[in-house]
Amino acid sequence: MNGLFDRLKKSGLLQPYSKQKHQLLQELALPQSLRLAYVVSLVYLFLSISHVFVIEVPFNRWMLAGMALVSSIAIYASARYLPRLLQPSTTALHLVVVALMLCNSLSHMVLTNDIIQTSTLMLVVVAMGGFMVERTLLLMALLAASAVWASLVMQMQQDTDTVVHFAFGLGMSSIVSLILFSHRVGVFTQLIEQRKQLKHIANVDQLSLCLRRHAFDEQAEALLAESGQRAYSVLYCDLDYFKLLNDSMGHAAGDQALRRFGELLNTLAKPHQLVVGRMGGEEFALAGCISEEQAGLLAEQIVQHLEEQMIAHPESLSSMYLTCSVGVASSAIDHNFSSLCKYADKALYIAKRSGRNQRQVHNHYQLPEGMKMPADLQA
């Protein structure tokens, strides 16, 4: 019993609803669903023509031929124009196609009063599994089709063996539909997971586990755009004399230092919900909705906690352990991300030129006597 439950869970039928995953599934399924819709449209066009020549009763002939033709046109139009009107449009397309298929099959049964036409309904049920990625819609369609079929059969004069025969066929086609659904959703789910993994690799520096520069800039600017009137700050961090560490203790020690510093930054940034990025080499940045005062205190924590980790750095000129310098800029001076980065970089420059192993806040620092700001950091 547990094994059956686990299989159903993996199939996607019992998974909790996730809006993001549902949208991704629809986007992945749309190209295939469009192709299937065009095929179904063509099939109904041929059915419309064949009904004219095959069905003998005039009323049934023109009614069913007309329904098939309208269905063909409606499905084609839905596949052609729905993607332009809705994004994503997969669910709407599925609803149109399945509803029209069920209407045609059930109308055929009603007009001909022949249970043998239920074979067409079985094909519809199988096709539904190949079409859908929405488990709720699939289960509702299966239940609706079975219920309507059962109610129609009860009104027909059929022997028990025939009813049992076609009921078994309908049940088997429902199982096939569920298998198709499970396979299709399983494939798309794997694609979604692969996309997530590739996106993670592209966006996250695997050494420090901080965002790469392009991902940091993108997320930091998004946070600034959403911040409204709230305070926003950027912190630039740079490991002091990091080249000397690499040269004296080797790149393995340097990589370990970067890994530990990245872990420290992510830990300290988490309570403030800041994004953390590795800007390149030994330079890191943090950004988010935090006041200038809070950012200054956070910068002090970064400086203190790093030295307290006692990462050996015998060649450092500021301490016997690895240290860092931090520059801070807040939206109190500007609300433009590029400008804040430049101001934070200026503050970082002052911190490094003022002895390192310290933090400086833009608009509160003083240039050491005789020192001038480089031309690329001016203005």
Side-chain angles (χ1 to χ4, degrees):
M1 187 68 179
N2 290 334
L4 177 61
F5 181 79
D6 291 338
R7 288 187 179 183
L8 286 172
K9 192 172 181 180
K10 290 179 181 179
S11 74
L13 289 170
L14 302 180
Q15 291 290 346
Y17 179 78
S18 167
K19 184 176 180 180
Q20 183 180 14
K21 182 180 178 181
H22 179 72
Q23 186 167 347
L24 287 171
L25 281 172
Q26 287 200 69
E27 291 173 358
L28 287 171
L30 183 58
Q32 188 183 66
S33 296
L34 288 173
R35 289 193 293 269
L36 286 169
Y38 287 129
V39 171
V40 173
S41 175
L42 190 61
V43 167
Y44 273 109
L45 179 61
F46 286 131
L47 279 176
S48 176
I49 298 171
S50 65
H51 285 338
V52 174
F53 297 100
V54 173
I55 300 178
E56 297 180 357
V57 180
F59 177 79
N60 292 352
R61 178 198 308 151
W62 298 114
M63 178 63 72
L64 294 174
M67 283 190 64
L69 180 61
V70 169
S71 299
S72 175
I73 296 172
I75 293 172
Y76 176 82
S78 298
R80 185 71 182 272
Y81 298 108
L82 272 179
R84 302 180 188 180
L85 301 174
L86 297 174
Q87 289 297 334
S89 59
T90 314
T91 296
L93 180 62
H94 292 175
L95 284 169
V96 171
V97 173
V98 172
L100 289 171
M101 292 176 75
L102 283 174
C103 284
N104 275 271
S105 300
L106 295 173
S107 297
H108 213 297
M109 289 182 64
V110 171
L111 291 173
T112 59
N113 198 36
D114 190 350
I115 196 174
I116 296 177
Q117 298 300 332
T118 197
S119 59
T120 308
L121 184 61
M122 294 176 193
L123 294 176
V124 172
V125 171
V126 174
M128 286 191 295
F131 252 103
M132 294 184 181
V133 291
E134 301 87 354
R135 63 180 184 278
T136 304
L137 183 60
L138 172 65
L139 293 174
M140 287 177 61
L142 291 178
L143 290 173
S146 300
V148 175
W149 177 83
S151 64
L152 288 174
V153 168
M154 289 176 65
Q155 300 176 25
M156 297 178 183
Q157 300 299 321
Q158 301 290 339
D159 60 88
T160 303
D161 290 342
T162 304
V163 173
V164 171
H165 172 76
F166 283 108
F168 178 79
L170 188 62
M172 290 303 296
S173 66
S174 298
I175 293 173
V176 172
S177 183
L178 292 172
I179 293 172
L180 286 173
F181 170 85
S182 174
H183 173 73
R184 192 177 194 219
V185 172
V187 170
F188 288 147
T189 301
Q190 288 179 1
L191 288 175
I192 290 173
E193 292 302 318
Q194 289 174 2
R195 277 189 178 185
K196 287 181 180 178
Q197 292 173 7
L198 290 173
K199 187 176 182 180
H200 179 78
I201 293 171
N203 290 343
V204 178
D205 173 52
Q206 301 305 299
L207 180 61
S208 65
L209 297 182
C210 298
L211 295 173
R212 298 185 191 273
R213 181 161 194 162
H214 70 279
F216 170 81
D217 288 345
E218 182 180 318
Q219 293 190 28
E221 289 195 63
L223 280 177
L224 180 59
E226 296 169 2
S227 65
Q229 299 301 315
R230 289 182 294 167
Y232 183 93
S233 298
V234 175
L235 296 82
Y236 266 31
C237 311
D238 191 88
L239 293 174
D240 299 329
Y241 303 108
F242 186 72
K243 186 176 185 303
L244 293 177
L245 176 67
N246 271 334
D247 292 343
S248 62
M249 301 186 67
H251 288 281
D255 288 348
Q256 180 64 18
L258 290 171
R259 189 176 294 110
R260 291 180 65 178
F261 188 55
E263 182 180 350
L264 172 65
L265 293 180
N266 281 315
T267 300
L268 293 177
K270 190 173 182 179
H272 303 284
Q273 297 182 330
L274 306 182
V275 291
V276 184
R278 183 182 176 190
M279 309 306 281
E282 68 274 20
E283 189 170 308
F284 294 76
L286 301 87
C289 296
I290 184 174
S291 69
E292 182 181 278
E293 182 181 359
Q294 290 174 312
L297 292 174
L298 176 60
E300 284 185 6
Q301 287 182 320
I302 293 171
V303 173
Q304 292 172 5
H305 281 59
L306 177 60
E307 192 168 17
E308 288 171 0
Q309 288 194 6
M310 295 187 291
I311 302 172
H313 189 354
E315 299 298 321
S316 174
L317 303 180
S318 59
S319 171
M320 59 188 298
Y321 303 114
L322 180 65
T323 61
C324 70
S325 302
V326 184
V328 178
S330 77
S331 55
I333 53 174
D334 202 311
H335 215 72
N336 178 274
F337 180 69
S338 297
S339 298
L340 287 175
C341 288
K342 191 168 185 177
Y343 292 138
D345 203 17
K346 282 184 180 182
L348 174 62
Y349 177 83
I350 299 303
K352 295 184 78 67
R353 292 300 180 270
S354 300
R356 310 191 189 216
N357 192 22
Q358 61 180 273
R359 56 91 173 174
Q360 290 285 350
V361 179
H362 188 271
N363 276 353
H364 294 281
Y365 62 70
Q366 292 183 345
L367 289 173
E369 187 176 350
M371 192 184 82
K372 293 183 179 180
M373 191 71 71
D376 61 333
L377 290 179
Q378 293 178 7

